Coordinates of all heavy atoms in Angstrom, one line a residue:
M30 N -74.8 114.3 113.7 CA -75.3 113.8 115.0 C -76.7 114.4 115.2 O -76.8 115.6 115.1 CB -74.3 114.3 116.1 CG -74.7 114.0 117.5 SD -73.6 114.5 118.9 CE -72.1 115.0 118.2
T31 N -77.6 113.6 115.5 CA -79.0 114.1 115.8 C -79.1 114.4 117.3 O -78.5 113.8 118.1 CB -80.0 113.1 115.4 OG1 -79.8 111.9 116.2 CG2 -80.0 112.8 113.9
Q32 N -79.9 115.4 117.6 CA -80.2 115.8 119.0 C -81.0 114.7 119.7 O -81.9 114.2 119.1 CB -80.9 117.1 119.0 CG -80.0 118.3 118.7 CD -80.6 119.6 119.1 OE1 -81.5 119.6 119.9 NE2 -80.1 120.7 118.6
P33 N -80.7 114.5 121.0 CA -81.4 113.5 121.8 C -82.8 114.1 122.0 O -83.1 115.3 121.9 CB -80.7 113.4 123.1 CG -79.3 114.0 122.8 CD -79.5 115.0 121.7
R34 N -83.8 113.2 122.4 CA -85.1 113.6 122.7 C -85.1 114.6 123.8 O -84.4 114.5 124.7 CB -85.9 112.4 123.1 CG -86.3 111.4 122.1 CD -87.3 110.4 122.6 NE -87.5 110.3 124.0 CZ -87.1 109.2 124.7 NH1 -86.6 108.2 124.2 NH2 -87.3 109.2 126.0
A35 N -86.0 115.6 123.7 CA -86.1 116.7 124.6 C -86.4 116.2 126.1 O -85.7 116.7 127.0 CB -87.2 117.7 124.2
D36 N -87.2 115.2 126.3 CA -87.5 114.8 127.6 C -86.3 114.1 128.3 O -86.0 114.3 129.4 CB -88.8 113.9 127.7 CG -88.7 112.7 126.7 OD1 -87.9 112.7 125.7 OD2 -89.4 111.7 127.0
F37 N -85.6 113.3 127.5 CA -84.4 112.7 128.0 C -83.3 113.7 128.3 O -82.7 113.7 129.4 CB -83.8 111.7 127.0 CG -82.7 110.9 127.6 CD1 -82.9 109.8 128.5 CD2 -81.4 111.1 127.2 CE1 -81.8 109.1 129.0 CE2 -80.3 110.4 127.7 CZ -80.5 109.4 128.6
A38 N -83.2 114.7 127.4 CA -82.2 115.8 127.6 C -82.6 116.6 128.9 O -81.7 116.9 129.7 CB -82.2 116.7 126.4
T39 N -83.8 116.9 129.1 CA -84.2 117.6 130.3 C -83.9 116.8 131.6 O -83.4 117.3 132.6 CB -85.7 117.9 130.3 OG1 -86.0 118.7 129.2 CG2 -86.2 118.6 131.6
Q40 N -84.1 115.5 131.5 CA -83.8 114.6 132.7 C -82.3 114.6 132.9 O -81.9 114.7 134.1 CB -84.4 113.2 132.5 CG -85.9 113.2 132.5 CD -86.4 111.8 132.1 OE1 -85.7 111.0 131.5 NE2 -87.6 111.5 132.4
V41 N -81.5 114.5 131.9 CA -80.1 114.5 132.0 C -79.6 115.8 132.7 O -78.8 115.8 133.7 CB -79.3 114.3 130.7 CG1 -77.9 114.7 130.8 CG2 -79.5 112.9 130.1
L42 N -80.1 116.9 132.2 CA -79.7 118.2 132.8 C -80.1 118.4 134.2 O -79.3 118.9 135.0 CB -80.3 119.3 131.9 CG -79.7 119.4 130.5 CD1 -80.4 120.5 129.7 CD2 -78.2 119.6 130.4
E43 N -81.2 117.8 134.6 CA -81.7 117.8 136.0 C -80.7 117.0 136.9 O -80.4 117.5 138.0 CB -83.1 117.3 136.1 CG -84.1 118.3 135.6 CD -85.5 117.7 135.6 OE1 -85.7 116.5 135.9 OE2 -86.5 118.5 135.2
V44 N -80.3 115.9 136.4 CA -79.4 115.0 137.2 C -78.1 115.7 137.3 O -77.5 115.8 138.4 CB -79.2 113.6 136.5 CG1 -78.1 112.9 137.2 CG2 -80.5 112.8 136.6
V45 N -77.5 116.3 136.2 CA -76.2 116.9 136.3 C -76.3 118.2 137.2 O -75.4 118.4 138.0 CB -75.8 117.3 134.9 CG1 -74.5 118.2 134.9 CG2 -75.6 116.1 134.0
D46 N -77.4 118.9 137.2 CA -77.6 120.1 138.0 C -77.6 119.7 139.5 O -77.3 120.5 140.3 CB -78.8 120.8 137.6 CG -78.8 122.3 138.0 OD1 -77.7 122.9 138.0 OD2 -79.8 122.8 138.4
S47 N -77.9 118.4 139.8 CA -78.0 118.0 141.2 C -76.7 117.5 141.8 O -76.6 117.2 143.0 CB -79.1 116.9 141.3 OG -78.6 115.7 140.8
I48 N -75.7 117.4 141.0 CA -74.4 116.9 141.4 C -73.8 117.9 142.4 O -73.6 119.1 141.9 CB -73.4 116.5 140.3 CG1 -74.1 115.5 139.3 CG2 -72.1 116.0 140.8 CD1 -73.3 115.3 138.0
P49 N -73.5 117.6 143.6 CA -72.9 118.5 144.5 C -71.5 119.1 144.1 O -70.8 118.3 143.4 CB -72.8 117.8 145.8 CG -73.6 116.6 145.7 CD -73.7 116.3 144.2
S50 N -71.2 120.2 144.5 CA -69.9 120.8 144.3 C -68.8 119.9 144.8 O -68.9 119.3 145.9 CB -69.8 122.2 145.0 OG -68.6 122.8 144.9
G51 N -67.7 119.7 144.0 CA -66.6 118.9 144.4 C -66.8 117.4 144.1 O -66.0 116.6 144.4
R52 N -67.9 117.0 143.6 CA -68.3 115.6 143.2 C -68.5 115.5 141.7 O -68.8 116.5 141.1 CB -69.5 115.2 144.0 CG -69.4 115.4 145.5 CD -68.4 114.5 146.2 NE -68.7 113.1 146.1 CZ -69.6 112.4 146.9 NH1 -70.2 113.0 147.8 NH2 -69.8 111.1 146.7
V53 N -68.4 114.3 141.2 CA -68.7 114.1 139.8 C -69.5 112.8 139.6 O -69.6 112.0 140.5 CB -67.3 113.9 139.0 CG1 -66.5 115.2 139.1 CG2 -66.5 112.7 139.5
M54 N -70.0 112.7 138.4 CA -70.6 111.4 137.9 C -70.1 111.1 136.6 O -69.7 112.1 135.8 CB -72.2 111.6 137.8 CG -72.9 111.7 139.2 SD -74.7 112.0 139.0 CE -75.2 110.3 138.7
T55 N -70.1 109.9 136.2 CA -69.7 109.5 134.8 C -70.9 109.6 133.9 O -72.0 109.7 134.4 CB -69.1 108.1 134.7 OG1 -70.1 107.2 135.0 CG2 -67.9 107.9 135.7
Y56 N -70.6 109.7 132.6 CA -71.8 109.7 131.7 C -72.6 108.4 131.9 O -73.9 108.5 131.9 CB -71.2 109.7 130.2 CG -70.5 110.9 129.9 CD1 -69.1 110.9 129.9 CD2 -71.2 112.1 129.5 CE1 -68.4 112.1 129.6 CE2 -70.5 113.2 129.1 CZ -69.1 113.2 129.2 OH -68.4 114.4 128.9
G57 N -72.0 107.3 132.2 CA -72.8 106.1 132.4 C -73.6 106.2 133.7 O -74.7 105.6 133.8
D58 N -73.0 106.8 134.8 CA -73.7 107.0 136.0 C -75.0 107.8 135.8 O -76.1 107.5 136.3 CB -72.9 107.8 137.1 CG -71.7 107.0 137.5 OD1 -71.7 105.7 137.4 OD2 -70.7 107.7 138.1
V59 N -74.9 108.9 135.0 CA -76.1 109.7 134.7 C -77.1 108.9 134.0 O -78.3 108.9 134.4 CB -75.7 111.0 133.9 CG1 -76.9 111.8 133.5 CG2 -74.7 111.9 134.7
A60 N -76.7 108.1 133.0 CA -77.7 107.3 132.3 C -78.3 106.3 133.2 O -79.5 106.1 133.2 CB -76.9 106.6 131.2
A61 N -77.5 105.7 134.1 CA -78.1 104.7 135.0 C -79.1 105.2 136.0 O -80.1 104.6 136.3 CB -76.9 104.0 135.8
V62 N -78.9 106.4 136.4 CA -79.9 107.1 137.3 C -81.2 107.2 136.6 O -82.2 107.2 137.2 CB -79.3 108.5 137.8 CG1 -80.4 109.3 138.4 CG2 -78.2 108.3 138.8
L63 N -81.1 107.4 135.3 CA -82.3 107.6 134.5 C -82.9 106.2 134.0 O -83.8 106.2 133.2 CB -82.1 108.5 133.3 CG -81.6 109.9 133.7 CD1 -81.3 110.7 132.5 CD2 -82.7 110.6 134.5
G64 N -82.3 105.1 134.5 CA -82.8 103.8 134.1 C -82.4 103.5 132.7 O -83.1 102.7 132.0
S65 N -81.3 104.0 132.2 CA -80.8 103.8 130.8 C -79.4 103.3 130.8 O -78.7 103.5 131.8 CB -80.9 105.2 130.1 OG -80.4 105.1 128.8
R66 N -79.0 102.8 129.7 CA -77.6 102.5 129.4 C -77.0 103.4 128.4 O -75.9 103.1 127.8 CB -77.5 101.0 129.0 CG -77.9 100.1 130.1 CD -77.8 98.6 129.6 NE -76.7 98.4 128.8 CZ -75.9 97.3 128.9 NH1 -76.2 96.4 129.8 NH2 -74.8 97.2 128.1
A67 N -77.6 104.5 128.1 CA -77.3 105.4 127.0 C -76.3 106.5 127.4 O -76.5 107.7 127.3 CB -78.5 106.0 126.4
A68 N -75.1 106.0 127.8 CA -74.0 107.0 128.2 C -73.6 107.9 127.0 O -73.4 109.1 127.3 CB -72.8 106.2 128.7
R69 N -73.6 107.4 125.8 CA -73.2 108.2 124.7 C -74.3 109.3 124.4 O -74.0 110.4 124.0 CB -73.0 107.3 123.5 CG -71.8 106.5 123.5 CD -71.6 105.7 122.3 NE -70.4 104.8 122.5 CZ -69.5 104.7 121.6 NH1 -69.5 105.3 120.5 NH2 -68.5 103.9 121.9
T70 N -75.5 108.9 124.7 CA -76.6 109.9 124.5 C -76.5 111.0 125.6 O -76.7 112.2 125.3 CB -78.0 109.3 124.5 OG1 -78.0 108.2 123.6 CG2 -79.1 110.3 124.3
V71 N -76.1 110.6 126.8 CA -75.8 111.6 127.8 C -74.7 112.6 127.3 O -74.8 113.8 127.5 CB -75.4 111.0 129.2 CG1 -74.9 112.0 130.2 CG2 -76.6 110.2 129.7
G72 N -73.7 112.0 126.7 CA -72.6 112.8 126.1 C -73.1 113.8 125.1 O -72.7 114.9 125.0
Q73 N -74.1 113.3 124.3 CA -74.6 114.2 123.2 C -75.4 115.3 123.9 O -75.4 116.5 123.5 CB -75.5 113.4 122.3 CG -74.8 112.5 121.4 CD -75.7 111.7 120.5 OE1 -76.9 111.5 120.8 NE2 -75.2 111.1 119.5
V74 N -76.2 115.0 124.9 CA -77.0 116.0 125.6 C -76.0 117.1 126.2 O -76.2 118.3 126.1 CB -77.8 115.4 126.8 CG1 -78.4 116.5 127.7 CG2 -78.9 114.5 126.2
M75 N -74.9 116.6 126.8 CA -73.9 117.5 127.4 C -73.3 118.4 126.3 O -73.0 119.6 126.5 CB -72.9 116.8 128.2 CG -73.5 116.1 129.4 SD -74.3 117.2 130.5 CE -73.0 118.2 131.1
A76 N -73.0 117.8 125.1 CA -72.4 118.6 124.0 C -73.4 119.7 123.5 O -72.9 120.8 123.2 CB -72.1 117.6 122.8
Y77 N -74.7 119.4 123.5 CA -75.6 120.4 123.0 C -76.1 121.4 124.1 O -76.3 122.6 123.8 CB -76.9 119.7 122.5 CG -76.8 119.1 121.1 CD1 -76.7 117.8 120.9 CD2 -76.7 119.9 120.0 CE1 -76.6 117.2 119.7 CE2 -76.6 119.4 118.7 CZ -76.6 118.0 118.6 OH -76.4 117.5 117.3
H78 N -76.2 120.9 125.3 CA -76.9 121.7 126.4 C -76.0 121.8 127.7 O -76.5 122.4 128.6 CB -78.2 121.1 126.8 CG -79.1 120.9 125.6 ND1 -79.7 121.9 124.9 CD2 -79.5 119.7 125.0 CE1 -80.5 121.4 123.9 NE2 -80.3 120.1 123.9
G79 N -74.8 121.3 127.7 CA -74.1 121.2 128.9 C -73.7 122.6 129.5 O -73.5 122.7 130.7
H80 N -73.7 123.6 128.7 CA -73.4 125.0 129.2 C -74.4 125.5 130.2 O -74.2 126.4 130.9 CB -73.3 126.0 128.0 CG -74.6 126.1 127.3 ND1 -75.0 125.2 126.3 CD2 -75.5 127.1 127.3 CE1 -76.2 125.6 125.9 NE2 -76.5 126.8 126.5
Q81 N -75.6 124.8 130.2 CA -76.7 125.2 131.1 C -76.5 124.7 132.5 O -77.2 125.1 133.5 CB -78.0 124.8 130.6 CG -78.4 125.3 129.2 CD -79.6 124.6 128.7 OE1 -80.5 124.2 129.4 NE2 -79.7 124.6 127.3
V82 N -75.6 123.8 132.7 CA -75.4 123.1 134.0 C -73.9 123.0 134.3 O -73.1 123.3 133.5 CB -76.0 121.7 134.0 CG1 -77.6 121.8 133.9 CG2 -75.5 120.8 132.9
P83 N -73.5 122.5 135.5 CA -72.1 122.4 135.8 C -71.5 121.2 135.1 O -71.3 120.1 135.6 CB -72.1 122.2 137.3 CG -73.4 121.7 137.7 CD -74.4 122.3 136.7
W84 N -71.2 121.4 133.8 CA -70.7 120.4 132.9 C -69.5 119.6 133.3 O -69.3 118.5 133.0 CB -70.5 121.0 131.5 CG -69.6 122.1 131.5 CD1 -69.9 123.4 131.6 CD2 -68.1 122.1 131.4 NE1 -68.7 124.2 131.6 CE2 -67.7 123.4 131.5 CE3 -67.2 121.0 131.3 CZ2 -66.3 123.7 131.5 CZ3 -65.9 121.3 131.3 CH2 -65.4 122.7 131.4
W85 N -68.6 120.3 134.0 CA -67.3 119.8 134.5 C -67.5 118.6 135.5 O -66.6 117.9 135.7 CB -66.4 120.8 135.0 CG -67.0 121.5 136.2 CD1 -66.9 121.2 137.6 CD2 -67.9 122.7 136.2 NE1 -67.6 122.1 138.3 CE2 -68.2 123.0 137.5 CE3 -68.4 123.5 135.2 CZ2 -69.0 124.0 137.9 CZ3 -69.2 124.5 135.5 CH2 -69.5 124.8 136.8
R86 N -68.7 118.5 136.0 CA -69.0 117.5 137.0 C -69.4 116.1 136.4 O -69.8 115.2 137.0 CB -70.1 117.9 138.0 CG -69.6 119.1 138.8 CD -70.7 119.5 139.8 NE -70.3 120.8 140.4 CZ -71.1 121.6 141.0 NH1 -72.4 121.4 141.0 NH2 -70.7 122.7 141.5
V87 N -69.4 116.1 135.0 CA -69.7 114.8 134.3 C -68.4 114.4 133.6 O -67.9 115.2 132.7 CB -70.8 114.9 133.3 CG1 -71.1 113.6 132.7 CG2 -72.1 115.4 134.1
V88 N -67.8 113.3 133.9 CA -66.6 112.8 133.3 C -66.7 111.5 132.7 O -67.7 110.8 132.9 CB -65.5 112.8 134.4 CG1 -65.2 114.2 135.0 CG2 -65.8 111.9 135.5
R89 N -65.6 111.1 132.0 CA -65.6 109.7 131.4 C -65.3 108.7 132.5 O -64.9 109.1 133.6 CB -64.4 109.7 130.4 CG -64.7 110.5 129.2 CD -63.4 110.5 128.3 NE -63.8 111.1 127.0 CZ -63.0 111.0 126.0 NH1 -61.8 110.4 126.1 NH2 -63.4 111.5 124.8
A90 N -65.6 107.5 132.2 CA -65.4 106.4 133.2 C -64.0 106.3 133.7 O -63.7 105.8 134.8 CB -65.8 105.1 132.6
S91 N -63.0 106.9 133.0 CA -61.6 106.9 133.4 C -61.3 108.0 134.3 O -60.2 108.1 134.9 CB -60.7 107.1 132.1 OG -61.0 108.3 131.5
G92 N -62.3 109.0 134.5 CA -62.0 110.1 135.3 C -61.5 111.3 134.5 O -61.3 112.4 135.1
H93 N -61.4 111.2 133.2 CA -61.0 112.3 132.4 C -62.2 113.1 131.9 O -63.3 112.6 131.8 CB -60.2 111.7 131.2 CG -58.9 111.1 131.5 ND1 -58.8 109.8 131.7 CD2 -57.7 111.7 131.7 CE1 -57.5 109.5 132.1 NE2 -56.8 110.6 132.0
V94 N -61.9 114.4 131.6 CA -63.0 115.2 131.1 C -63.0 115.1 129.6 O -62.0 114.6 129.0 CB -62.8 116.7 131.5 CG1 -62.9 116.8 133.0 CG2 -61.6 117.3 131.0
A95 N -64.0 115.6 129.0 CA -64.1 115.6 127.5 C -62.9 116.4 126.9 O -62.5 117.4 127.4 CB -65.4 116.2 127.1
P96 N -62.3 115.8 125.8 CA -61.2 116.5 125.2 C -61.5 117.9 124.8 O -62.6 118.2 124.4 CB -60.9 115.6 124.0 CG -61.5 114.3 124.3 CD -62.7 114.6 125.2
G97 N -60.5 118.7 125.1 CA -60.6 120.2 124.8 C -61.2 121.0 125.9 O -61.2 122.2 125.8
H98 N -61.6 120.4 127.0 CA -62.1 121.1 128.1 C -61.3 120.9 129.4 O -61.7 121.4 130.5 CB -63.6 120.6 128.4 CG -64.5 120.8 127.3 ND1 -65.0 122.1 126.9 CD2 -65.0 120.0 126.3 CE1 -65.8 121.9 125.9 NE2 -65.8 120.7 125.5
E99 N -60.1 120.4 129.2 CA -59.3 120.0 130.4 C -58.9 121.3 131.2 O -59.1 121.2 132.5 CB -58.0 119.3 130.0 CG -58.3 118.0 129.3 CD -58.4 118.1 127.8 OE1 -58.5 119.2 127.2 OE2 -58.5 117.0 127.1
D100 N -58.5 122.3 130.6 CA -58.0 123.5 131.4 C -59.2 124.2 132.1 O -59.1 124.5 133.3 CB -57.3 124.5 130.4 CG -56.0 124.0 129.9 OD1 -55.5 123.0 130.5 OD2 -55.6 124.5 128.9
R101 N -60.3 124.4 131.4 CA -61.4 125.0 132.1 C -62.0 124.2 133.2 O -62.4 124.7 134.2 CB -62.5 125.3 131.0 CG -62.2 126.5 130.1 CD -63.2 126.9 129.1 NE -64.6 126.9 129.6 CZ -65.6 126.4 128.9 NH1 -65.4 125.9 127.7 NH2 -66.8 126.5 129.4
A102 N -62.1 122.9 133.0 CA -62.6 122.0 134.0 C -61.7 122.0 135.2 O -62.1 122.0 136.4 CB -62.7 120.5 133.5
L103 N -60.4 122.0 135.0 CA -59.4 122.0 136.1 C -59.6 123.2 137.0 O -59.5 123.1 138.2 CB -58.0 121.9 135.6 CG -56.9 121.8 136.6 CD1 -57.1 120.5 137.5 CD2 -55.5 121.7 135.9
E104 N -59.9 124.3 136.4 CA -60.1 125.5 137.2 C -61.3 125.3 138.1 O -61.3 125.7 139.3 CB -60.4 126.7 136.3 CG -59.3 127.2 135.5 CD -59.6 128.3 134.5 OE1 -60.7 129.0 134.7 OE2 -58.9 128.6 133.6
H105 N -62.4 124.7 137.6 CA -63.6 124.4 138.4 C -63.3 123.4 139.5 O -63.7 123.5 140.6 CB -64.7 123.9 137.5 CG -65.3 124.9 136.6 ND1 -66.1 126.0 137.1 CD2 -65.2 125.1 135.3 CE1 -66.5 126.7 136.1 NE2 -66.0 126.2 135.0
F106 N -62.5 122.3 139.1 CA -62.2 121.3 140.1 C -61.4 121.8 141.2 O -61.7 121.5 142.4 CB -61.4 120.1 139.4 CG -62.2 119.3 138.4 CD1 -61.5 118.8 137.3 CD2 -63.5 119.1 138.6 CE1 -62.2 118.1 136.4 CE2 -64.2 118.3 137.6 CZ -63.6 117.8 136.5
R107 N -60.4 122.7 140.9 CA -59.6 123.3 142.0 C -60.5 124.2 142.9 O -60.3 124.2 144.1 CB -58.4 124.1 141.4 CG -57.4 123.1 140.9 CD -56.2 123.9 140.3 NE -55.1 122.9 140.0 CZ -54.2 123.1 139.1 NH1 -54.2 124.3 138.4 NH2 -53.3 122.3 138.8
A108 N -61.3 125.0 142.3 CA -62.2 125.9 143.0 C -63.1 125.1 144.0 O -63.5 125.6 145.1 CB -63.0 126.8 142.1
E109 N -63.6 124.0 143.5 CA -64.6 123.2 144.3 C -63.9 122.1 145.2 O -64.6 121.5 146.0 CB -65.5 122.5 143.3 CG -66.4 123.4 142.6 CD -67.4 122.7 141.7 OE1 -67.4 121.4 141.6 OE2 -68.2 123.4 141.1
G110 N -62.6 122.0 145.1 CA -61.9 121.0 145.9 C -62.1 119.6 145.4 O -62.1 118.6 146.3
T111 N -62.4 119.4 144.2 CA -62.6 118.0 143.6 C -61.3 117.3 143.7 O -60.3 117.8 143.2 CB -63.1 118.1 142.2 OG1 -64.3 119.0 142.1 CG2 -63.5 116.7 141.6
P112 N -61.3 116.0 144.2 CA -60.1 115.2 144.3 C -59.6 114.9 142.8 O -60.4 114.3 142.1 CB -60.5 114.0 145.0 CG -61.7 114.3 145.7 CD -62.4 115.4 144.9
I113 N -58.4 115.2 142.5 CA -57.8 114.9 141.2 C -56.5 114.2 141.4 O -55.9 114.3 142.5 CB -57.7 116.1 140.3 CG1 -56.8 117.2 141.0 CG2 -59.0 116.7 139.9 CD1 -56.4 118.3 140.0
M114 N -56.1 113.5 140.4 CA -54.8 112.8 140.4 C -54.0 113.2 139.2 O -54.5 113.3 138.1 CB -55.1 111.2 140.3 CG -55.9 110.7 141.4 SD -56.5 109.0 141.2 CE -55.0 108.1 141.0
E115 N -52.8 113.6 139.5 CA -51.8 113.9 138.4 C -51.5 112.7 137.6 O -51.3 111.6 138.2 CB -50.6 114.6 139.0 CG -50.9 115.9 139.7 CD -51.4 117.0 138.9 OE1 -51.1 117.1 137.7 OE2 -52.3 117.8 139.4
T116 N -51.4 112.8 136.3 CA -51.0 111.6 135.5 C -49.9 112.1 134.5 O -49.7 113.3 134.4 CB -52.2 111.1 134.7 OG1 -52.6 112.0 133.7 CG2 -53.3 110.7 135.6
S117 N -49.3 111.2 133.8 CA -48.3 111.6 132.9 C -48.8 112.4 131.7 O -48.1 113.2 131.1 CB -47.6 110.4 132.3 OG -48.5 109.5 131.7
A118 N -50.1 112.3 131.5 CA -50.8 113.0 130.4 C -51.6 114.2 130.9 O -52.3 114.9 130.2 CB -51.8 112.1 129.6
G119 N -51.4 114.5 132.2 CA -52.2 115.7 132.8 C -52.8 115.4 134.1 O -52.1 115.3 135.1
Y120 N -54.1 115.1 134.1 CA -54.8 114.8 135.3 C -56.0 114.0 135.0 O -56.5 114.0 133.9 CB -55.1 116.0 136.1 CG -56.3 116.8 135.5 CD1 -57.6 116.6 135.9 CD2 -56.1 117.8 134.5 CE1 -58.6 117.3 135.4 CE2 -57.1 118.4 134.0 CZ -58.4 118.2 134.4 OH -59.5 118.9 133.8
R121 N -56.6 113.4 136.1 CA -58.0 112.9 136.0 C -58.6 113.0 137.4 O -57.9 113.2 138.4 CB -57.9 111.4 135.5 CG -57.3 110.4 136.5 CD -57.3 109.0 135.9 NE -56.7 108.1 136.8 CZ -57.3 107.4 137.7 NH1 -58.5 107.6 138.0 NH2 -56.6 106.6 138.5
V122 N -59.9 112.9 137.4 CA -60.6 113.0 138.7 C -60.4 111.7 139.4 O -60.5 110.6 138.8 CB -62.1 113.3 138.4 CG1 -62.9 113.2 139.7 CG2 -62.3 114.7 137.8
N123 N -60.2 111.7 140.7 CA -60.1 110.5 141.5 C -61.6 110.0 141.8 O -62.2 110.5 142.7 CB -59.4 110.8 142.8 CG -59.2 109.6 143.7 OD1 -60.0 108.6 143.6 ND2 -58.2 109.6 144.5
L124 N -62.0 109.1 140.9 CA -63.4 108.7 141.0 C -63.7 108.0 142.4 O -64.8 108.1 142.9 CB -63.8 107.8 139.9 CG -64.0 108.5 138.5 CD1 -64.2 107.4 137.4 CD2 -65.1 109.5 138.6
R125 N -62.7 107.3 142.9 CA -63.0 106.6 144.2 C -63.4 107.6 145.3 O -64.2 107.3 146.1 CB -61.7 105.9 144.6 CG -61.9 105.0 145.8 CD -60.6 104.2 146.2 NE -59.4 105.1 146.4 CZ -59.2 105.8 147.5 NH1 -60.1 105.8 148.5 NH2 -58.1 106.5 147.6
M126 N -62.8 108.8 145.2 CA -63.1 109.8 146.2 C -64.2 110.8 145.8 O -64.9 111.3 146.7 CB -61.9 110.6 146.6 CG -60.8 109.7 147.2 SD -59.3 110.6 147.5 CE -59.8 111.8 148.8
A127 N -64.3 111.1 144.5 CA -65.2 112.2 144.1 C -66.6 111.7 143.5 O -67.5 112.5 143.3 CB -64.5 113.0 143.0
R128 N -66.7 110.4 143.2 CA -67.9 109.9 142.6 C -69.2 110.1 143.4 O -69.2 109.8 144.6 CB -67.8 108.5 142.2 CG -68.9 107.9 141.3 CD -68.7 106.5 141.0 NE -68.7 106.4 139.5 CZ -68.2 105.4 138.9 NH1 -67.4 104.5 139.5 NH2 -68.3 105.3 137.6
Y129 N -70.2 110.7 142.8 CA -71.5 110.9 143.5 C -72.5 110.0 142.8 O -72.7 109.9 141.6 CB -71.9 112.4 143.2 CG -73.3 112.7 143.7 CD1 -73.5 112.7 145.1 CD2 -74.3 113.0 142.9 CE1 -74.8 113.0 145.6 CE2 -75.6 113.3 143.3 CZ -75.8 113.3 144.7 OH -77.1 113.6 145.2
L130 N -73.1 109.2 143.7 CA -74.2 108.3 143.2 C -75.4 108.6 144.1 O -75.5 108.1 145.2 CB -73.7 106.8 143.4 CG -72.5 106.4 142.5 CD1 -72.0 105.0 142.9 CD2 -72.8 106.5 141.1
P131 N -76.4 109.3 143.5 CA -77.6 109.7 144.3 C -78.4 108.5 144.7 O -78.4 107.4 144.1 CB -78.3 110.6 143.4 CG -77.8 110.3 142.0 CD -76.4 109.8 142.2

């Protein structure tokens, strides 16, 4: 996997850093704010640099977090009061209530 362009990465991180506590955006939402359809590239940016921003506030279009991060994200969601829905496989964010679109 190659790293995304630095300027796009910086823009992604700025958008993610602006998401209010208790709210989320999807990878596609972040891309759209930047005038792009590159949701997968947003995911790559988060994989490389997400530790610098509130990474748990970026979720899949289904409301699920990236695999392997469910437990840590849930701690943040509970602390911030992010609306979540219990599912048979665990949980997902309630996008209808939590989605942030600047």
Side-chain angles (χ1 to χ4, degrees):
M30 179 181 344
T31 60
Q32 286 196 17
R34 288 190 344 247
D36 55 336
F37 186 77
T39 299
Q40 292 173 344
V41 166
L42 296 175
E43 288 172 356
V44 170
V45 173
D46 203 36
S47 74
I48 303 170
S50 177
R52 305 292 297 277
V53 299
M54 293 177 77
T55 67
Y56 294 99
D58 293 339
V59 173
V62 165
L63 299 174
S65 172
R66 294 176 43 133
R69 288 179 188 230
T70 305
V71 170
Q73 289 177 343
V74 170
M75 295 304 293
Y77 283 108
H78 307 288
H80 65 280
Q81 300 173 25
V82 294
W84 56 267
W85 58 92
R86 295 181 188 156
V87 182
V88 298
R89 294 174 166 191
S91 64
H93 293 93
V94 299
H98 299 286
E99 297 90 352
D100 292 340
R101 287 182 41 221
L103 185 57
E104 291 175 21
H105 290 289
F106 293 147
R107 287 183 173 152
E109 294 183 356
T111 307
I113 58 172
M114 300 168 58
E115 300 294 327
T116 67
S117 59
Y120 74 92
R121 67 179 178 88
V122 173
N123 183 334
L124 288 176
R125 187 178 56 77
M126 296 177 67
R128 188 177 233 156
Y129 174 69
L130 298 172

